[in-house]
Amino acid sequence: MAETIRFTPSKWSNLLAEMEPAMRIASGDIVVTETLDAAGTNARGERVADRPNPMNGPIHVAGAEPGDALRVDILRIDPARGTGWTRSALSANVLDPEYARNLPPRDRAEWIIDREASTVRLEAPEAALKHLVLPYTPMIGCFGVAPAGGEAISTATSGRNGGNMDYRGFAVGCSVRFPVAVPGALFFVGDCHAAQGDGEISGTGIETCCEVEIRLTVEKRRTIGWPRGELDGRIFTVGNACPLDQALQHATTEMVVWLKSEYGLSEPDTAHLLGQTVRYDVGNVFNPAYTMICSLEKKWLPERPKTA
């Protein structure tokens, strides 16, 4: 029978890699854990880990083997403190180079998280933004599993195994599958944001600490190449790479493979369906690997072929 387990880490990782597990669970168990912010500060304002994006983990999930998928259901993301922070300038790489030469310093700005009202606002806004109050829309910025081949991937970037993708869709109600590359999958999670626009174009969301509740389930012999997800009546695939067109290629290819392998579509079928219904979202465009999301509303999907 599945259990709900509280995970209180005593150390954190700036790498997604094969390493000694911080805890072991059974497939289907629910984990509740409190994350640090991107700078390594906890809910009490104490700096306890190094940046970038220190991760809780890794969590070993029994039965996970290469060739399987690890399903991550995001059940809850609650604020663990009443403040967050951002930077006060856009990233130079999202602007024309001539304009970017005159950007102001990337000073830190503090935000207030109103837990009762479920809103966020600048602590000391300039006059033009004094009435700006945004909804609290939490998401997980960085999570994933250990990559293959003994590789160690910085929590500043991302790859086939997930990582720092900063996609707003990684929110409550989302289910994400990661390709398992090592025994136990070795799952990491952290870098929660209280709110964020598409792309994380200022280099941060509203960085804060959250209590996260997730269910981790092994899906045997479900071989996938890149992360896949489901949210709000749609399926989506994730590509992480630089330049951005390569990330789009990875995401689109993974969607085509999914439609062919699980829905029985031919190559012409995928062209007709995706060519007229596909939607793309942009995740992180600040860090070394960019993230593109290829999505399709479930209402357009055919019935899955019956298996013997």
Side-chain angles (χ1 to χ4, degrees):
M1 182 174 178
E3 297 184 47
T4 297
I5 304 165
R6 178 166 290 276
F7 172 35
T8 303
S10 58
K11 59 182 181 179
W12 296 264
S13 178
N14 302 110
L15 298 171
L16 280 73
E18 193 169 6
M19 60 183 70
E20 184 65 25
M23 72 176 301
R24 295 173 182 267
I25 66 169
S27 175
D29 282 349
I30 293 171
V31 176
V32 178
T33 191
E34 186 175 289
T35 63
L36 304 180
D37 72 15
T41 304
N42 65 18
R44 293 159 293 287
E46 304 160 337
R47 179 79 179 276
V48 297
D50 294 329
R51 60 190 317 153
N53 302 326
M55 295 286 102
N56 296 14
I59 299 171
H60 179 285
V61 185
E65 296 289 342
D68 299 337
L70 181 69
R71 174 171 169 153
V72 181
D73 296 306
I74 304 174
L75 306 178
R76 181 169 58 87
I77 309 174
D78 289 338
R81 72 181 189 215
T83 60
W85 57 272
T86 59
R87 295 296 178 189
S88 297
L90 292 177
S91 171
N93 72 302
V94 304
L95 298 166
D96 290 335
E98 292 180 1
Y99 187 91
R101 290 194 192 107
N102 300 312
L103 286 172
R106 291 179 53 77
D107 294 334
R108 176 166 159 153
E110 301 297 322
W111 292 70
I112 303 300
I113 301 171
D114 186 329
R115 302 181 221 200
E116 291 189 5
S118 198
T119 59
V120 293
R121 60 180 173 82
L122 280 162
E123 183 180 63
E126 296 185 13
L129 296 184
K130 65 181 181 180
H131 298 302
L132 179 68
V133 180
L134 302 174
Y136 172 72
T137 51
M139 50 163 281
I140 300 174
C142 187
F143 66 144
V145 295
E151 189 176 7
I153 294 182
S154 167
T155 53
T157 192
S158 57
R160 290 180 179 271
N161 62 308
N164 191 40
M165 298 174 285
D166 292 314
Y167 171 48
R168 291 191 307 116
F170 292 141
V172 174
C174 184
S175 296
V176 191
R177 294 177 177 88
F178 295 101
V180 174
V182 302
L186 299 183
F187 175 77
F188 298 79
V189 63
D191 183 35
C192 290
H193 302 168
Q196 180 205 286
D198 286 337
E200 200 192 38
I201 65 171
S202 65
T204 69
I206 300 178
E207 308 288 341
T208 192
C209 303
C210 290
E211 183 171 272
V212 175
E213 184 174 347
I214 49 179
R215 181 188 295 110
L216 303 178
T217 307
V218 178
E219 296 186 344
K220 298 299 294 181
R221 295 175 295 282
R222 189 168 191 176
T223 302
I224 62 177
W226 291 86
R228 300 178 180 181
E230 299 180 42
L231 176 69
D232 295 337
R234 59 191 173 96
I235 64 172
F236 65 86
T237 51
V238 183
N240 300 310
C242 189
L244 195 61
D245 60 349
Q246 189 176 36
L248 182 145
Q249 290 165 359
H250 292 324
T252 308
T253 301
E254 186 68 17
M255 179 62 79
V256 170
V257 170
W258 191 355
L259 293 175
K260 290 175 63 179
S261 64
E262 297 192 18
Y263 292 92
L265 271 63
S266 66
E267 291 288 355
D269 289 338
T270 65
H272 295 317
L273 181 60
L274 293 179
Q276 312 312 319
T277 66
V278 73
R279 296 292 182 267
Y280 288 99
D281 295 318
V282 63
N284 170 62
V285 292
F286 174 73
N287 293 115
Y290 302 153
T291 296
M292 283 296 297
I293 309 297
C294 175
S295 70
L296 178 65
E297 291 186 65
K298 289 182 178 179
K299 67 182 180 180
W300 305 125
L301 290 169
E303 290 186 14
R304 293 174 189 258
K306 290 184 171 59
T307 57

